[in-house]
Structures are given as C-alpha cells and as structure tokens.
C-alpha cells in the first residue's frame, strides 16, 4: 500500500509578494504621497499670501466690491454710471464677455462649417480658396488679427459725415456700425409674453408628438403642429398689444454723431470679427476631419438611394460626422471664450479689461484675479456641460 500524500491549503501567489513590492500597496501609497504634497503646497501658498498681506497691511476681503467704482465703461448691455459699485461694474464685464462669446460661437460655427465643407468640394477653385482661408487664419496669432482688424480696417473707415450707407439703413464709419434695430413699444409686453409662451408650448408639443410617433408609428406632423402653436400664441400677443408691439429705431445723424438704432463700436466689431475668423478656421478643420471619418460606403449608399449631395450631406453624412466633431468642437468653443480676454489690447470693456481697471482703482489684485478666474472657470464648465450632454445624445448606443 502506498502512503497518502499530505494535502496543504493553496497558497496565493500574491500573499507571497512583500508589501513593498505589491502593486496595490504602491498605487495607494503613491496617491497618499501625492495628496499630502498637494495639500502641503496649497497650505504653504495660502499661509504665505496671508502673512504677506498682513505685513503690507492689505485686506483680503471682498468688501471693496460694494464701494463706488468711479470709472466709466464705454459699452454696457445694461445701464451703468461711475457711481455704481465695483460689483456692478464687474457684472457689466461678465455680460459683455458672455455677449461677444455667444455671438462669436454662433458665427464661428456657421462660418467654420461652410469652410470645412468647401474644403472638401470637388470644385478646385472653391477647395483652394477654403484652404487658403484656413491656413492663413490658423497660422497668424489672434492678437495680430485683432490689431489688423481694429487699426487697419475699422479705424480707417470714413468719418461720420462721410459714412458708408448700406440698405436698412446701415451706416459704417470710424465710430462703428449704426443699424436700424427693432425696439419694443410701450404696449409690447403682451407680445413678448405671447411669443415666450408659444415657444414653451411648441417645445412641449414637439416632444410629446415626436415620442408618440416613435411609440405608435404613423405621422403625427409634430413639426407643423408645433409651428402652428407658436404662430397662434405669437399672433394672440400681437393682437392684445394693439397690433403695434415693435417699432423700428432708425439711426439719424444729429450733430457730430448718429443717434438711435443699434451701435457696434469699432472695438467690439474688431473683436467679434477677429474671434470668428480665427476660430472658424480651426472649426473648419474639425468639420473636414469629421466628414472624412464617415465611411465612404455610407456616401455611396446614400447616392445609390437617389439622394443628391445636399440631401446625403444633411441626412447621412453630418449626423454621423457629429459624433467625431463634437468633442474637439467643445475645445474650440472654450478657446474662443478665453481668447475674448485679448479684447483688453484693443480697448473693449470685457471681463478682463474691467478687472484690470478695478485693480488700478481698488488695489485688490488677488481678489480681482480670483474673481476673474472663477468666472472663466464657470463659463467653461457650463459650456462643456451643455456640449457634453448633446454629445451623449448623438453617440452610438451599444446594446
């Protein structure tokens, strides 16, 4: 008879590894050391700032924001005068930054999409013109473009008395662009309420009917019905307001300048045009890459179904290209928003410009810089949030 072999409990290979060579222990140890170093650096920096401020007799509070600003602001979307507080002036700068950034994102997207599609055109001349436009704007610093648009274009326009007149009427001169603009009359409030209510109801009808069409099939005509709802609510507001809710404010030359209408200063126009042309060149390359990422077979299948190029582009190519375009497009939107701070170079009163002026007036450099950084961070995070939500809707869903 053979003796039975003794049995031993299985020994894990990981249990034989010393803890100083265990990958899990090393990863945790590295994170702990990194956290301690970062925390120590932040504590040292804050302590150093507090000690330096105490030695120089500086206050680190934000009470100065309630004091009178004492400086004028050339352009403001809301009423402002120098007797108002630093906080109000800072808010004016935030609104100006949001205003120029929002317009810049809209126009840069439109121009960039057209330039990107033109770059892929089968027409040699159109393709080369788009290529020249993209390469020129991609390889010139934005600060140089802003200087060129401001000093070499807008400041070289005719004097006020010799303004260039376009239909509208629109007047273009050294002091900016003056255009006819619609203004609400005293009875225009019901019209605004009716239009706003129409937008909300139309959106609700759109969502409900589109979901009903998806669930039950058939055609619920949700687009047509939504437009009808919007038109009916708007018409009701128009009738309640007396049929005259909007009046055209036409600019008129009075003395040495125009009065009335909408005025865009040379600084604002130069900033907007510079941001749009510069950013649209990068967006054009993003759009081109997104379109080229769509498999060639998708395009051939669309043409085989009888779709022309425009239909294939809008119904087949672009919906698939958006999955590639959206992520880098977010970065371009964030760059445009942050690049608006270069407006201080040409004198447009946006957030950074007003921040610099506040530092000169109040002497609170640290607090103002922190506020400016916080505002740009919030704007960037909000823009990323909106675009990422849309990006999730257009991505493939794997089942």
């Amino acid at each position: 008879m053979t003796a039975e072999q003794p049995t031993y409990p299985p020994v894990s290979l990981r249990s034989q590894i010393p803890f100083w060579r265990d990958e899990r222990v090393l990863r945790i140890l590295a994170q702990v050391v990194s956290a301690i170093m970062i925390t120590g650096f932040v504590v040292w920096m804050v302590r150093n700032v507090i000690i330096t401020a105490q030695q120089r007799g500086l206050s680190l509070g934000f009470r100065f924001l309630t004091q009178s600003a004492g400086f004028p602001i050339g352009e403001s979307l809301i009423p402002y005068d120098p007797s108002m507080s630093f906080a109000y002036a800072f808010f004016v700068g935030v609104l100006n930054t949001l205003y120029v950034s929002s317009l810049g994102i809209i126009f840069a997207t439109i121009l960039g999409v057209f330039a990107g599609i033109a770059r892929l055109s089968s027409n040699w001349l159109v393709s080369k013109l788009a290529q020249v436009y993209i390469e020129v704007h991609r390889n010139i610093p934005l600060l140089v473009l802003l200087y060129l648009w401001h000093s070499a274009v807008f400041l070289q326009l005719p004097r006020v008395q010799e303004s260039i007149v376009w239909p509208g009427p629109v007047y273009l001169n050294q002091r900016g662009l003056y255009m006819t603009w619609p203004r609400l009359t005293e009875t225009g409030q019901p019209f605004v309420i009716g239009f706003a209510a129409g937008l909300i109801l139309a959106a609700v009808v759109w969502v409900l009917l589109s979901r009903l069409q998806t669930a039950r099939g058939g055609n619920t005509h949700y687009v047509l019905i939504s437009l009808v709802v919007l038109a009916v609510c708007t018409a009701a507001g128009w009738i309640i307001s007396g049929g005259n809710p909007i009046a055209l404010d036409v600019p008129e030359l009075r003395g040495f300048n125009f009065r009335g209408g909408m005025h865009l200063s040379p600084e604002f126009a130069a900033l907007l045009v510079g941001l749009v042309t510069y950013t649209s060149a990068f967006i054009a390359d993003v759009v081109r890459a997104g379109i080229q990422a769509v498999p060639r077979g998708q395009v051939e299948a669309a043409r085989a179904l009888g779709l022309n190029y425009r239909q294939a582009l809008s119904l087949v190519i672009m919906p698939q290209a958006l999955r590639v375009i959206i992520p880098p497009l977010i970065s371009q939107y964030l760059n445009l928003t942050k690049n608006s701070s270069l407006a201080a170079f040409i004198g447009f009163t946006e957030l950074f410009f007003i921040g610099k002026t506040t530092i000169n007036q109040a002497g609170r450099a640290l607090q103002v810089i922190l506020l400016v950084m916080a505002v740009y961070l919030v704007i960037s995070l909000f823009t990323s949030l909106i675009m990422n939500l849309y990006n999730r809707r257009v991505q493939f869903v794997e089942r």
Side-chain angles (χ1 to χ4, degrees):
M1 297 180 63
T2 58
E4 293 185 2
Q5 297 293 332
T7 59
Y8 301 97
V11 180
S12 174
L13 181 61
R14 187 174 293 276
S15 64
Q16 298 178 354
I17 301 176
F19 73 91
W20 60 84
R21 295 177 57 187
D22 194 330
E23 293 182 359
R24 295 180 300 176
V25 176
L26 292 177
R27 282 198 295 264
I28 295 175
L29 184 62
Q31 293 178 10
V32 171
V33 172
S34 300
I36 293 174
M37 292 177 61
I38 294 174
T39 304
F41 175 76
V42 172
V43 171
W44 171 83
M45 184 176 63
V46 172
R47 182 175 178 273
N48 190 37
V49 169
I50 294 175
I51 293 175
T52 304
Q54 290 176 350
Q55 291 175 349
R56 299 184 180 183
L58 299 177
S59 173
L60 295 179
F62 290 88
R63 294 182 180 179
F64 73 95
L65 292 175
T66 61
Q67 301 173 3
S68 176
F71 59 86
I73 296 179
E75 296 183 55
S76 175
L77 297 176
I78 56 179
Y80 170 83
D81 64 76
S83 64
M84 295 181 176
S85 64
F86 283 113
Y88 193 87
F90 196 81
F91 181 64
V92 170
V94 173
L95 290 181
N96 286 347
T97 296
L98 292 175
Y99 181 52
V100 71
S101 300
S102 301
L103 291 179
I105 287 174
I106 295 172
F107 292 130
T109 303
I110 296 173
L111 184 57
V113 170
F114 277 106
I117 294 175
R119 181 67 183 85
L120 298 174
S121 174
S122 58
N123 187 304
W124 183 87
L125 180 60
V126 173
S127 177
K128 292 304 177 183
L129 287 176
Q131 181 181 5
V132 169
Y133 169 82
I134 294 171
E135 295 300 327
V136 167
H137 286 86
R138 278 172 56 93
N139 294 284
I140 296 180
L142 177 57
L143 195 60
V144 176
L145 282 177
L146 294 179
Y147 179 80
L148 288 175
W149 281 108
H150 183 250
S151 300
V153 177
F154 288 102
L155 293 185
Q156 301 303 320
L157 293 171
R159 297 179 301 173
V160 174
Q161 290 77 9
E162 302 171 355
S163 299
I164 300 174
V165 184
W166 291 339
V170 176
Y171 301 94
L172 188 62
N173 53 60
Q174 290 179 347
R175 297 186 180 179
L177 182 70
Y178 297 85
M179 65 180 71
T180 303
W181 196 253
R183 306 285 185 188
L184 286 177
T185 61
E186 296 179 355
T187 60
Q189 186 175 3
F191 173 74
V192 174
I193 296 175
F195 180 73
L199 283 178
I200 296 174
L201 291 176
V204 172
V205 171
W206 179 296
V207 172
L208 293 178
L209 293 183
S210 61
R211 290 182 177 179
L212 182 63
Q213 177 174 311
T214 303
R216 299 185 179 181
N219 190 358
T220 58
H221 305 285
Y222 61 92
V223 176
L224 178 60
I225 296 177
S226 300
L227 292 176
V228 170
V229 170
L230 176 61
V232 169
C233 293
T234 304
W238 183 284
I239 295 173
I240 296 174
S241 63
N244 189 26
I246 298 176
L248 294 179
D249 190 4
V250 181
E252 297 179 358
L253 182 60
R254 300 175 186 173
F256 298 99
N257 205 352
F258 285 92
R259 298 289 185 271
M262 184 177 183
H263 174 226
L264 300 180
S265 68
E267 292 76 20
F268 176 83
L271 176 63
L272 181 61
V273 174
L275 289 175
V276 168
T277 54
Y278 181 79
T279 309
S280 64
F282 291 89
I283 292 178
D285 258 355
V286 171
V287 172
R288 176 190 58 79
I291 293 176
Q292 289 181 330
V294 178
R296 183 66 183 175
Q298 296 288 321
V299 182
E300 295 174 352
R303 301 305 296 270
L305 290 174
L307 301 179
N308 56 35
Y309 181 75
R310 182 185 61 81
Q311 293 173 329
L313 185 66
S314 60
L315 300 177
V316 178
I317 300 175
M318 287 305 295
Q320 299 183 65
L322 283 176
R323 301 182 177 97
V324 180
I325 292 173
I326 295 298
L329 193 63
I330 298 174
S331 298
Q332 296 306 323
Y333 288 168
L334 299 182
N335 288 336
L336 186 148
T337 303
K338 291 179 288 188
N339 287 337
S340 65
S341 61
L342 294 176
F345 179 74
I346 58 176
F348 177 69
T349 52
E350 46 74 56
L351 175 61
F352 185 67
F353 184 92
I354 293 180
K356 288 176 55 181
T357 308
T358 302
I359 293 174
N360 295 332
Q361 294 289 107
R364 301 291 195 275
L366 179 62
Q367 295 92 320
V368 172
I369 293 300
L370 288 177
L371 286 174
V372 172
M373 291 172 58
V375 170
Y376 279 118
L377 179 62
V378 170
I379 294 175
S380 298
L381 291 178
F382 181 75
T383 304
S384 299
L385 174 64
I386 298 300
M387 295 302 296
N388 284 325
L389 290 176
Y390 179 74
N391 186 41
R392 293 175 184 175
R393 293 181 61 88
V394 299
Q395 292 299 315
F396 283 117
V397 178
E398 297 184 359
R399 300 184 184 276

